[in-house]
Amino acid sequence: MQVLSSIFETINEKETVQFLQSLIQVNSVNQPGNEKGVAEVIKTYLASSKLHVEVDDLGHNRANLFVTYPNGETDEKYLIYSGHLDTVPTGKVEWEHDPFSGKVVGNKIYGRGTTDMKGGVAAMILALKYLEGAGVKLKGKVQFVGTAGEEVDGYGAKTVVEKGQIDKATAMVVSEPSENQLFTAHKGCLWLEITTNGKTAHGSMPDQGINAILAMNELINMLQTYQFDYTPHPLLGHPTMNIGTIEGGVKTNVVPDQCKLTLDIRTIPGQDKDSILADIEKMIQDITVRFQSTYQIKVINSMESVGTNETDDFVKLAVTTAKTHLNKELYPMGVNYYTDASVYCPHLHIPTIIVGPGDPKLAHQPDEYIEIDKFIESIRYFMALAIDYLGVR
């Protein structure tokens, strides 16, 4: 489309970089989140545009954000651009560049959230701003939804679903890091906190106590040989299990009366998480009977796996858009992380893809950065996809 190529030329690299820097400079590490600060920066930036901006205050300096393109003729086609406003902590390793500076070095912008995922958020916002600034009249509705709390529990997305705020949506793009490649499936998760309880005794008389760490060790050995019941997914392969943390005991010369473990299970479409939980609970039940101890098992996070078939019309359109407007070949792939789509898709049942400018390998890493050329490319892609999907009038 000739009009689109001319709009591409209006993208001001300096402006786009400065906008992303303004988001990075708001510390929205979760916890506590502070997503309202990010939302307010975006609202201020868009004040001179005709885009409709709504900050949904969730209390405690937390918020969701809705940016709606003006004058959609119909919502028969209703496209959601999705991103989250929080980030993970910076970690204990010292950064070479201030994680909240957005410092530019060559082709890279450094800072916490550049990749995951303020870069994707900024690209979607800028795509709508440049389209609106060029006077493009879209036939359908496109709306950016920025959420709180994705990095911990999907709090913001769950609130959107509970309030029915995007129930009429017909397709969704999530700008989590993909290096501008096309992900059409991602894994879900089941995080468990398992506690074994024993009885203290003097360390010189272990037979007088019940060692909770030894009971947990039995469980660890069984988990290492556990076999999931599943059919391999063509894009995601197989499920995984990782023991993330373990703690127990009070002193060297005391038999430990408690041990706690956290478990990170990543699931694929078709798996039954209730069955997995039941299997693990049966293991720990058998162990604690033998040890004459007790246990607790708690689900601390549960997110659904997501998959849109590569034959879906929206997926085909996503591929065609990249080829037509960016001369870029995209192929449906899968990714191991989960997104807010884990919350949205079971409720909305709409085709969903993940395309974002960040590098997945840099997510949650020290000296996280985003490449400026990929950032600009994603702005172009989100502009083109909105036009191709919704049409112009």
Side-chain angles (χ1 to χ4, degrees), residues 262-307:
T262 58
L263 196 61
D264 179 354
I265 299 169
R266 299 297 168 123
T267 58
I268 61 174
Q271 281 191 282
D272 182 352
K273 286 190 288 186
D274 289 340
S275 294
I276 297 171
L277 180 59
D279 288 346
I280 293 173
E281 187 152 22
K282 180 64 167 60
M283 291 181 202
I284 192 65
Q285 281 176 345
D286 292 344
I287 291 167
T288 52
V289 166
R290 286 192 283 113
F291 275 76
Q292 296 183 312
S293 61
T294 61
Y295 75 95
Q296 291 87 40
I297 184 166
K298 178 182 177 183
V299 176
I300 55 177
N301 194 12
S302 179
M303 292 288 183
E304 296 301 320
S305 55
V306 169

Side-chain angles (χ1 to χ4, degrees), residues 1-8 134 136 387:
M1 178 183 290
Q2 186 62 36
V3 172
L4 191 52
S5 62
S6 65
I7 299 174
F8 284 170
V136 174
I387 286 177

Side-chain angles (χ1 to χ4, degrees), residues 16 21 90 96 109 119 127-128 144 153 171 181 185 205 210 215 221 263 302 306 317 340 359 370 386 393:
T16 65
Q21 287 174 318
T90 58
E96 182 180 354
I109 307 173
L128 300 186
F144 171 80
D153 55 6
Q181 299 302 312
M205 294 177 283
I210 298 174
N221 290 335
L263 196 61
S302 179
V306 169
L317 179 69
D340 274 340
D359 181 346
I370 193 168
R393 54 189 174 92

Side-chain angles (χ1 to χ4, degrees), residues 324-384:
T324 302
H325 302 291
L326 303 177
N327 196 29
K328 185 182 180 75
E329 296 285 353
L330 294 183
Y331 305 93
M333 296 186 293
V335 67
N336 289 340
Y337 59 61
Y338 64 83
T339 74
D340 274 340
S342 294
V343 178
Y344 292 136
C345 287
H347 178 71
L348 298 174
H349 304 289
I350 58 175
T352 299
I353 62 173
I354 301 164
V355 181
D359 181 346
K361 295 188 294 297
L362 297 174
H364 303 189
Q365 293 284 337
D367 286 312
E368 178 185 354
Y369 65 83
I370 193 168
E371 295 180 5
I372 295 173
D373 57 351
K374 284 191 171 65
F375 176 48
I376 301 295
E377 181 183 66
S378 68
I379 297 170
R380 295 184 180 123
Y381 182 72
F382 296 139
M383 293 166 67

Side-chain angles (χ1 to χ4, degrees), residues 35-36 39 55-59 61-65 85 146-148:
E35 296 94 345
K36 187 177 179 182
V55 177
D56 187 6
D57 194 326
L58 304 178
N61 208 30
R62 313 200 72 183
N64 287 337
L65 174 73
L85 309 180
T147 53

Side-chain angles (χ1 to χ4, degrees), residues 82-373:
S82 168
H84 63 82
L85 309 180
D86 60 327
T87 73
V88 296
T90 58
K92 295 181 180 180
V93 175
E94 186 175 351
W95 288 48
E96 182 180 354
H97 307 292
D98 181 347
F100 302 110
S101 66
K103 184 174 181 179
V104 176
V105 181
N107 185 45
K108 299 174 182 176
I109 307 173
Y110 285 87
R112 177 52 87 216
T114 46
T115 272
D116 186 13
M117 62 170 294
K118 290 178 178 178
V121 167
M124 287 181 156
I125 296 292
L126 288 163
L128 300 186
K129 179 179 181 292
Y130 282 118
L131 284 175
E132 187 276 322
V136 174
K137 304 295 185 184
L138 297 171
K139 289 182 178 179
K141 179 176 180 179
V142 58
Q143 182 178 54
F144 171 80
V145 180
T147 53
E150 189 272 352
E151 292 290 3
V152 173
D153 55 6
Y155 167 59
K158 289 174 183 176
T159 302
V160 172
V161 167
E162 288 167 4
K163 293 182 176 181
Q165 291 169 310
I166 59 171
D167 279 2
K168 293 183 179 180
T170 57
M172 178 177 291
V173 185
V174 183
S175 57
E176 291 278 13
S178 76
E179 290 192 292
N180 291 338
Q181 299 302 312
L182 175 63
F183 296 149
T184 58
H186 71 62
K187 291 184 176 179
C189 79
L190 176 64
W191 292 358
L192 304 177
E193 180 184 271
I194 302 170
T195 304
T196 52
N197 305 295
K199 185 177 76 170
T200 59
H202 197 285
S204 66
M205 294 177 283
D207 57 305
Q208 298 300 306
I210 298 174
N211 193 312
I213 290 177
L214 291 181
M216 187 65 78
N217 182 61
E218 289 281 312
L219 176 63
I220 292 172
N221 290 335
M222 294 182 73
L223 290 172
Q224 288 179 311
T225 61
Y226 177 70
Q227 299 293 316
F228 290 103
D229 180 14
Y230 71 101
T231 300
H233 188 275
L235 300 180
L236 298 173
H238 57 85
T240 61
M241 178 187 294
N242 177 63
I243 296 170
T245 65
I246 188 168
E247 56 179 296
V250 294
K251 198 174 180 182
T252 303
N253 63 344
V254 177
V255 174
D257 65 343
Q258 189 175 88
C259 186
K260 187 177 293 184
L261 171 148
T262 58
L263 196 61
D264 179 354
I265 299 169
R266 299 297 168 123
T267 58
I268 61 174
Q271 281 191 282
D272 182 352
K273 286 190 288 186
D274 289 340
S275 294
I276 297 171
L277 180 59
D279 288 346
I280 293 173
E281 187 152 22
K282 180 64 167 60
M283 291 181 202
I284 192 65
Q285 281 176 345
D286 292 344
I287 291 167
T288 52
V289 166
R290 286 192 283 113
F291 275 76
Q292 296 183 312
S293 61
T294 61
Y295 75 95
Q296 291 87 40
I297 184 166
K298 178 182 177 183
V299 176
I300 55 177
N301 194 12
S302 179
M303 292 288 183
E304 296 301 320
S305 55
V306 169
T308 299
N309 197 295
E310 62 186 78
T311 62
D312 183 271
D313 288 343
F314 186 61
V315 173
K316 292 178 180 179
L317 179 69
V319 172
T320 301
T321 294
K323 179 64 176 176
T324 302
H325 302 291
L326 303 177
N327 196 29
K328 185 182 180 75
E329 296 285 353
L330 294 183
Y331 305 93
M333 296 186 293
V335 67
N336 289 340
Y337 59 61
Y338 64 83
T339 74
D340 274 340
S342 294
V343 178
Y344 292 136
C345 287
H347 178 71
L348 298 174
H349 304 289
I350 58 175
T352 299
I353 62 173
I354 301 164
V355 181
D359 181 346
K361 295 188 294 297
L362 297 174
H364 303 189
Q365 293 284 337
D367 286 312
E368 178 185 354
Y369 65 83
I370 193 168
E371 295 180 5
I372 295 173
D373 57 351

